Amino acid sequence: MNKLIIDTASKNLYVALVNDTIKEIHVVGKNHAQVLMKHIDTVLGNLSIDDIDEIIVGVGPGSYTGVRVAVTIAKMLSWTKNIPLREVSSLYIQVSGYDGLKSSMIDARRQNAFCASFDDTKIVVEEMLREIDEFKEIALGRIYTEDEFKANPIKIIEASKVVNNVHGLVPNYLRKTEAERNKENAN
């Protein structure tokens, strides 16, 4: 089985191919839309998209544009190539390489973060958008930020859930876009 994992919800772009071996790319930066397909091609090596048996995508929360990049590509590949699709929390991807009880935060600007706590693959404090100091009071285990990204592709696959309706998959934004907020405030 060839399983492709992609996530672009934060400053961490993550792509992995899991079969008998594991091939991963982790890049820190911006403009994930410009490089994601190149990194997918790199992890595929001699394989093609037609050789992929399953796609696992990080659905957020995180950067609005970042979340859309991975989800859009995953949905397009899944639908056009008839590849089963699975979803997983981008917050979980970020800390999946750590064992036991842990918390994950992705910067949401203005002293806010997208955050959650996990016990191995299980969510124990629901994903939310909170002030960082407020989350620190309820977080379980050690809190890991985007700068401490450590992925475990096997655990990511275990934590993922089947997407039954590819067209119905909606990213987990947890908040409206800045343009939507500005429009509401103008009214």
Side-chain angles (χ1 to χ4, degrees):
M1 290 272 302
N2 293 310
K3 298 181 182 213
L4 178 66
I5 302 169
I6 57 175
D7 184 58
T8 57
S10 70
K11 67 183 180 180
N12 295 291
L13 177 146
Y14 181 73
V15 179
L17 177 66
V18 179
N19 46 36
D20 295 338
T21 62
I22 296 172
K23 189 171 181 183
E24 300 171 280
I25 293 178
H26 171 222
V27 177
V28 178
K30 295 184 177 185
N31 302 319
H32 297 328
Q34 295 175 359
V35 297
L36 179 58
M37 291 305 296
K38 177 184 86 164
H39 291 311
I40 290 172
D41 283 343
T42 300
V43 298
L44 289 177
N46 294 328
L47 300 175
S48 76
I49 291 295
D50 293 325
D51 297 316
I52 298 301
D53 299 301
E54 195 168 62
I55 299 170
I56 298 93
V57 64
V59 294
S63 156
Y64 182 81
T65 302
V67 172
R68 289 189 70 80
V69 169
V71 170
T72 299
I73 288 175
K75 287 172 69 170
M76 182 234 2
L77 292 173
S78 173
W79 185 69
T80 59
K81 297 294 189 174
N82 198 29
I83 302 169
L85 182 62
R86 298 178 71 88
E87 65 177 297
V88 66
S89 166
S90 296
L91 286 165
Y92 181 72
I93 289 173
Q94 176 174 289
V95 297
S96 59
Y98 297 101
D99 292 327
L101 201 57
K102 63 227 170 203
S103 292
S104 179
M105 287 193 335
I106 294 175
D107 183 22
R109 301 195 311 235
R110 297 183 185 98
Q111 297 303 310
N112 292 301
F114 300 107
C115 42
S117 295
F118 304 89
D119 189 358
D120 286 322
T121 61
K122 182 182 170 194
I123 294 176
V124 291
V125 173
E126 290 299 316
E127 297 174 332
M128 62 190 85
L129 172 64
R130 294 249 177 160
E131 289 183 9
I132 293 170
D133 290 338
E134 183 182 338
F135 179 65
K136 287 179 179 178
E137 292 177 16
I138 63 169
L140 300 174
R142 177 160 179 238
I143 298 173
Y144 296 96
T145 67
E146 295 168 88
D147 295 328
E148 299 165 293
F149 183 96
K150 184 177 177 184
N152 179 324
I154 302 303
K155 287 185 177 180
I156 292 168
I157 292 166
E158 289 172 9
S160 68
K161 295 179 174 77
V162 172
V163 174
N164 292 315
N165 175 5
V166 171
H167 298 298
L169 177 62
V170 178
N172 181 12
Y173 296 121
L174 288 186
R175 75 168 169 199
K176 295 178 180 177
T177 66
E178 187 172 350
E180 290 171 316
R181 293 189 308 269
N182 289 342
K183 183 177 179 182
E184 285 177 358
N185 292 335
N187 292 331

